Amino acid sequence: MKKSYFASALLLALVSGSLWAQTIVTVNGSKIDSKDIDAQVKMLQSQNPQIPDTPALRRDLTERQVTAILISQEAKRLKLDQSAEYKKALERARSDAKTQGVDKQPGFKEQWTAFENDLLNQAYFVYLLRNNPIGENDLKTAYGEFSKFYQGSHEVQLGEILTSNAADAQKAIADLKAKKDFKTVAAQYTVDPRGKANNGLNAGYVNLKDLEQGAPEVYAAVKNLTKGGFTATPLQDGNGMFGVFYINDKRAANIPSYETAKNGIAQELQAARIDSAIEALYRKANIQTAK
């Protein structure tokens, strides 16, 4: 979903912590104050104290809030908040909160407001998909494109050794050239905690076409490697880390049948329609960041 229409301005407007409440963004007249973002940061940190309070986190939370407001505004314009279905769900949730005593806990008012907005957002998604249903022709067309795209492709099970300096990466490559076992070399040199836990091997497979789109530099380095091959030159990620990639297995991709794939394709098409609708809301919105 494309939400970063105003990210640069937000980066200038947001700070890590606020001394007083101030308006950060106005969305079609609705204000997002710094205290709103403060509350969200506090809630996240109460759930996970390891989450740092950074401008990037605040920018992401603010963009999410803008999106939620745009959807809620559109849902109210469509009078979805007045529907019997929405009111019934809201009433049921309120009753459950009272039964469990959650409504007496600190911060419930803010949590309830967030829940109402989330529920209204969900009501909009349901409305959108009901009025723009995915038909059988849509599914078959998408499946045809999907099967054509992956026809004749291969998928690989990758291994990765991640080091914090070039010297260790070169040592790992030298050991691999000396026919040492990849898992042993990965356990010795990788600094990635997950890599140490699984000896540098990913559990699943990735299609090379997906790798080409998602990580083109890695794809370019491994596309011609065969099973047991590895990158002879470390790849730098721009953050001071060096990666050595290994092909633990390589096989022809198995394209699932239409019946097997259609549910997943339907979900992707639904998500794409929701994304498109939200982008349309952004395009016609009046979003003003703080000066």
Side-chain angles (χ1 to χ4, degrees), residues 5-20:
Y5 292 93
F6 54 96
S8 297
L10 277 178
L11 188 57
L12 296 175
L14 297 178
V15 294
S16 181
S18 303
L19 297 178
W20 58 83

Side-chain angles (χ1 to χ4, degrees), residues 94-148:
R94 173 72 78 173
S95 176
D96 289 344
K98 287 184 178 180
T99 300
Q100 298 170 17
V102 178
D103 61 327
K104 300 295 191 296
Q105 295 179 0
F108 174 75
K109 182 179 179 181
E110 292 78 10
Q111 292 175 10
W112 181 256
T113 298
F115 171 77
E116 283 184 308
N117 288 331
D118 287 345
L119 190 62
L120 196 53
N121 279 207
Q122 292 301 318
Y124 174 69
F125 297 151
V126 171
Y127 167 87
L128 186 68
L129 295 176
R130 280 177 180 171
N131 287 274
N132 298 275
I134 305 297
E136 193 72 16
N137 287 337
D138 298 319
L139 291 173
K140 288 183 176 178
T141 297
Y143 176 76
E145 295 172 350
F146 162 80
S147 57
K148 182 179 179 181

